[in-house]
Amino acid sequence: MRSMDLQDILKNILNAADSSCFSPPMAQLWRNLAISSTKEDPIDRWEACNIDFLDFEENYFTTFIRHNAVFFFDPDSCCEAIRCAIAARKLQVHMQANLARQQSHDIPIA
């Protein structure tokens, strides 16, 4: 039996995501991660995967609030607060990735 390579694993994940094994937000996360995980540069891959998880969190929590709006005093305000928090976190991820890229280019060769 041969070991599975990354493309086989990603294909199986996408097939599972498309077969209703997951909720729609979770299926979308797996699809996005399958694409992001193929980035060759490790910094780009780290950044893309983190953004995928943040997109999932925003989608998950805002959907939860909308479906349970009766339990929230101001569901729109809650959703907006989540969107702002996620946007701030995405900015941090981008800044960390840009710093890592800059540092990788600034390493002096001895």
Side-chain angles (χ1 to χ4, degrees), residues 2 4-19 21-22 27 30-35 37-38:
R2 72 178 183 89
M4 295 178 71
D5 65 359
L6 179 60
Q7 294 296 2
D8 290 337
I9 293 168
L10 295 176
K11 183 179 176 187
N12 287 335
I13 289 171
L14 288 174
N15 287 340
D18 289 334
S19 68
C21 290
F22 302 110
W30 285 114
R31 283 188 211 98
N32 292 346
L33 286 173
I35 295 166
S37 64
T38 61

Side-chain angles (χ1 to χ4, degrees), residues 2-3 7-8 12 16 27 34 41 43 48 51 64 77 82 106 108 110:
R2 72 178 183 89
S3 64
Q7 294 296 2
D8 290 337
N12 287 335
D41 181 70
I43 296 170
I51 297 299
F64 177 84
S77 179
I82 288 171
D106 290 346

Side-chain angles (χ1 to χ4, degrees), residues 51-67:
I51 297 299
D52 292 343
F53 277 109
L54 289 168
D55 287 339
F56 168 75
E57 287 178 356
E58 180 179 349
N59 186 5
Y60 179 84
F61 288 115
T62 56
T63 300
F64 177 84
I65 291 168
R66 298 254 181 251
H67 286 319

